[in-house]
Amino acid sequence: MSQLRPALLAVALTLAIATPAQAAAGPAITVENGRTQPVFSYADAVREHVYVESGVDSDADGRPDRVRVDIIRPKESGPGLKVPVIIDESPYYDNSGRGNEAERKVYDSAGNVTKFPLFYDNYFVPRGYAVLNVDMLGTTRSDGCPDIGGKADVLGGKAVVDWLNGRARAFRADGTPATADWTTGKSAMIGKSYDGTLANAVAATGVEGLETIVPISAISSWYKYQRSNGVVYSYDYASWLADYIDTDPQAKCQAVRDRMDAEDGDDTGNSNAFWAERDYLSGLLGDASKVRASVFVVHTVNDLNVKPDNFSTWWDALARRGVPRKIWVGQYQHVDPFDFEGRRDVWVDTLHRWFDHWLLGVRNGVMSEPRADVQTGPTSWITQRDWPAPLAARLPLRPSADGGLGLRPAARGATASFADVAMDEADMIADVGTAKPGRVAFTTGPLPLDLRLSGTPTADLTVRLDKPTSNLTALLVDFGDAARVDWRRGQGITTLTEEDCHGESTAADDACYKKVVTNVANRPAEIVARGWIDVQNRASLSDPSPLPVGTFGKVRWRTLPQEYTFAKGHRLALVVAGTDSTYSEEPGTGANVTLDLAASSVSVPFVLGTALTDVPGNRAGFRGPSRVELPEAEPEFSFF
């Protein structure tokens, strides 16, 4: 019996080894070292297009809008080899283009795409994925009218996921039905800006089959994109953007644009049903509680196009729901992680492992790594357990009558006043030691140590007005020379002539893209955090309540989030002003604003580490004991 066991074991091992070898004789996705391998020909891939029926009629022509879907997939894919899908749905394929090099689709005589923008097709198709470039409804070769985050935008993309799972119809150009018999039905959505916004929106519907999304610099609430607590950034923006992305004749969708202008509530800045339809946190079409997909968020804290409260509130909502997630937080402006200097290879590999894990079930450890990658300087990154930094705790900084900013409240009855006039940020922070009628400013002395801000500061002000309302701006400013990412120039990057390649190429579609370097500048000051509010929206975004004239009232709101280190020896400042003309087209209300200093503060999430110490003899220094006991951190997911 003891001699028989080795013989049986040898037979079993032979059978075990032989079975995969037989299976490998046919087309198969290959995994090595936790990553799918490029075993399929990119040049021979199937390139085709279909039109998916959406179920919405946004152009009111009596027919359901059809969504144009351009497909590239391995030649071997079909009923015998089903592959997962990566979707980039975009309104930009025939206007601004995609990526740093503004690539557009290029078509052959049969109407199929021969050049797919970006590297996703070049890299992932050889590894056993299908890549779909989807024209958002109302753009490029899709039917309909764009409605800027509304029903058509959302349900058009959802219909594509439904079609991949047999729940929607699609047709070829000749009108014959098209079925997706070549896919597992498991899909991902990815993209930057509007493309990533569509990924958020479709995920918020809870559609089955969408396994993961990768929203990059993406909107989670169109109200947040165009408003801040009642303050309007720009007027009639939705209709302007709809006109920009729609290359059809003007007349086709004019009625849709007119309706958006009538419904957007620009005259008040309040939230209403128009914005609720376009809110993916808790809106009419979907919300974070319905998200089934895992989420890999990428955003930059200096993105003042899609402002970073769009990612921070979305991230918090997903965390409350326990959604599997990962995040990269950068320092640039509106920049794709493919163009973060020194991170391109890291990005491609991380994305590769993310898709392999969520779409193919590959066990590669991507979910065991620290959840957050955070840029802490022009070329420096750290990883940490989560974002914001788990050890961040809120420290209330308080203004005083002598222009200081410290830990102790001002004397009771101390006030400071300014007028709500339209003023740009450069004027707001200039000459902070000099009185200006449109702002008040408070500064610390030289900081005794480095202070890292990680998260979202909160402005907590008590004000009195001589008119029913006023716009308020709160700025946190770092005064001190330092080399910082120059996100104002080229959004923080300069594009070089040298290229590198990620994926396989053809004569029509190469996988090579120009490298970039980070723009760095030494500046004497940097606005670190910004926040705006219309005082009458202090309690509700949809139901305004004017502040009784001559009466002090509490105004508390969150600024935009940040990730920033104030260097030792620098000064930290709080500037409070009226209307910020740098980011809002609103005129100032002209109200005189009186700030109750004793009842006002800004709460800043600093990372615990070295204790703050007093700065003896400096009237503007931190006032308090030699060692500061930091207050208990606020609950991680509180909203104001």
Side-chain angles (χ1 to χ4, degrees):
M1 192 69 175
S2 60
Q3 293 179 342
L4 183 60
R5 283 178 179 168
L8 291 173
L9 180 60
V11 172
L13 286 172
T14 301
L15 290 174
I17 293 170
T19 302
Q22 276 189 330
I29 294 172
T30 302
V31 178
E32 293 177 5
N33 300 317
R35 294 161 179 80
T36 50
Q37 299 300 305
V39 298
F40 302 98
S41 168
Y42 178 73
D44 295 338
V46 174
R47 293 163 173 84
E48 59 186 342
H49 66 278
V50 302
Y51 298 88
V52 174
E53 197 168 78
S54 69
V56 296
D57 181 14
S58 61
D59 54 9
D61 65 355
R63 301 187 301 272
D65 298 335
R66 290 186 176 181
V67 185
R68 165 77 178 225
V69 180
D70 289 297
I71 303 165
I72 180 169
R73 56 185 175 87
K75 180 183 66 175
E76 296 84 353
S77 61
L81 176 65
K82 295 179 182 292
V83 298
V85 175
I86 298 168
I87 301 169
D88 187 347
E89 182 185 10
S90 179
Y92 295 134
Y93 285 126
D94 70 346
N95 40 71
S96 65
R98 304 308 305 123
N100 189 35
E101 299 177 36
E103 292 187 314
R104 298 185 181 189
K105 291 179 178 177
V106 177
Y107 305 87
D108 64 16
S109 59
N112 293 317
V113 171
T114 57
K115 179 180 177 62
F116 287 79
L118 307 179
F119 77 98
Y120 304 136
D121 56 310
N122 309 86
Y123 188 84
F124 285 104
V125 170
R127 288 165 169 79
Y129 291 84
V131 172
L132 276 54
N133 279 187
V134 177
D135 297 342
M136 191 186 85
L137 281 180
T139 69
T140 315
R141 300 192 177 193
S142 284
D143 297 339
C145 295
D147 61 1
I148 311 304
K151 184 178 180 181
D153 282 14
V154 178
L155 298 186
K158 178 179 180 295
V160 175
V161 178
D162 283 333
W163 172 64
L164 295 171
N165 288 275
R167 299 188 297 266
R169 299 193 303 169
F171 303 89
R172 303 193 182 279
D174 62 4
T176 58
T179 58
D181 60 358
W182 42 265
T183 180
T184 62
K186 292 186 175 184
S187 62
M189 292 186 73
I190 186 173
K192 177 194 164 195
S193 199
Y194 211 138
D195 305 21
T197 300
L198 295 169
N200 282 343
V202 174
T205 69
V207 63
E208 293 187 39
L210 183 60
E211 301 297 323
T212 191
I213 62 172
V214 185
I216 301 165
S217 303
I219 296 166
S220 61
S221 161
W222 283 86
Y223 183 89
K224 288 184 182 298
Y225 182 59
Q226 276 304 298
R227 303 278 192 276
S228 176
N229 303 303
V231 175
V232 178
Y233 295 144
S234 55
Y235 294 110
D236 293 332
Y237 180 85
S239 63
W240 174 87
L241 182 57
D243 186 50
Y244 173 75
I245 61 179
D246 187 356
T247 52
D248 290 318
Q250 283 266 332
K252 176 186 175 184
C253 295
Q254 188 61 50
V256 175
R257 293 192 293 271
D258 290 345
R259 186 171 67 249
M260 287 192 287
D261 283 344
E263 294 176 353
D264 63 13
D266 276 356
D267 56 326
T268 65
N270 298 330
S271 185
N272 57 22
F274 177 87
W275 299 105
E277 182 179 326
R278 294 159 173 82
D279 182 357
Y280 314 132
L281 293 161
S282 55
L284 299 178
L285 296 176
D287 59 69
S289 70
K290 296 179 181 177
V291 173
R292 298 171 182 265
S294 63
V295 183
F296 186 175
V297 172
V298 181
H299 217 107
T300 52
V301 289
N302 293 312
D303 187 344
L304 291 166
N305 175 356
V306 180
K307 296 178 180 63
D309 55 343
N310 272 281
F311 93 81
S312 61
T313 52
W314 180 242
W315 181 254
D316 288 353
L318 297 173
R320 287 199 304 275
R321 291 283 301 164
V323 172
R325 61 203 186 281
K326 187 174 182 64
I327 191 168
W328 277 25
V329 180
Q331 292 282 343
Y332 300 94
Q333 234 266 38
H334 198 57
V335 174
D336 191 286
F338 190 74
D339 295 314
F340 292 175
E341 182 187 357
R343 299 283 289 184
R344 183 170 289 182
D345 289 345
V346 179
W347 167 245
V348 173
D349 185 63
T350 304
L351 187 65
H352 182 185
R353 291 185 298 119
W354 183 265
F355 284 155
D356 280 357
H357 177 79
W358 287 106
L359 297 180
L360 288 166
V362 176
R363 295 182 180 179
N364 53 26
V366 73
M367 295 303 294
S368 302
E369 299 167 354
R371 184 174 285 153
D373 281 38
V374 179
Q375 187 177 14
T376 56
T379 58
S380 58
W381 287 76
I382 62 172
T383 59
Q384 58 190 36
R385 180 165 50 87
D386 209 337
W387 191 88
L391 293 179
R394 292 190 174 274
L395 182 72
L397 302 180
R398 307 177 188 278
S400 61
D402 62 2
L405 185 66
L407 299 175
R408 291 180 178 174
R412 184 174 297 179
T415 62
S417 298
F418 60 93
D420 175 17
V421 295
M423 190 176 188
D424 68 32
E425 288 186 345
D427 284 341
M428 287 181 182
I429 70 169
D431 305 317
V432 291
T434 303
K436 286 192 175 184
R439 67 103 205 269
V440 290
F442 311 91
T443 63
T444 69
L447 297 175
L449 45 82
D450 289 352
L451 287 176
R452 179 184 166 205
L453 185 166
S454 181
T456 305
T458 300
D460 189 350
L461 308 180
T462 298
V463 302
R464 181 179 65 205
L465 310 178
D466 65 354
K467 292 186 177 183
T469 195
S470 170
N471 291 334
L472 295 180
T473 297
L475 306 177
L476 275 181
V477 188
D478 177 20
F479 285 104
D481 283 317
R484 304 176 176 95
V485 174
D486 188 6
W487 52 266
R488 294 168 180 82
R489 179 167 59 94
Q491 303 197 64
I493 59 172
T494 293
T495 304
L496 307 176
T497 56
E498 182 185 359
E499 294 185 328
D500 59 12
C501 306
H502 294 80
E504 297 182 14
S505 301
T506 64
D509 190 338
D510 73 79
C512 304
Y513 293 87
K514 294 176 180 177
K515 295 181 179 181
V516 300
V517 292
T518 301
N519 294 336
V520 179
N522 272 73
R523 291 188 294 269
E526 180 79 358
I527 298 173
V528 175
R530 300 164 168 84
W532 309 277
I533 193 170
D534 183 338
V535 171
Q536 65 182 343
N537 290 109
R538 65 196 183 281
S540 171
L541 297 181
S542 58
D543 186 16
S545 54
L547 184 65
V549 172
T551 302
F552 278 106
K554 180 71 73 175
V555 186
R556 192 169 189 245
W557 79 102
R558 285 188 150 191
T559 71
L560 300 180
Q562 252 292 352
E563 183 66 47
Y564 187 87
T565 298
F566 297 88
K568 178 180 179 180
H570 285 201
R571 292 183 301 140
L572 190 159
L574 169 65
V575 175
V576 182
T579 301
D580 185 344
S581 64
T582 304
Y583 297 103
S584 174
E585 293 180 0
E586 290 192 26
T589 65
N592 289 309
V593 182
T594 300
L595 190 65
D596 181 346
L597 298 178
S600 297
S601 65
V602 59
S603 174
V604 184
F606 287 121
V607 178
L608 291 172
T610 308
L612 293 173
T613 57
D614 210 14
V615 184
N618 189 324
R619 67 181 180 85
F622 286 105
R623 296 173 174 82
S626 60
R627 181 176 179 86
V628 176
E629 295 298 327
L630 290 168
E632 209 173 85
E634 291 187 359
E636 188 178 358
F637 310 115
S638 59
F639 289 86
F640 308 108

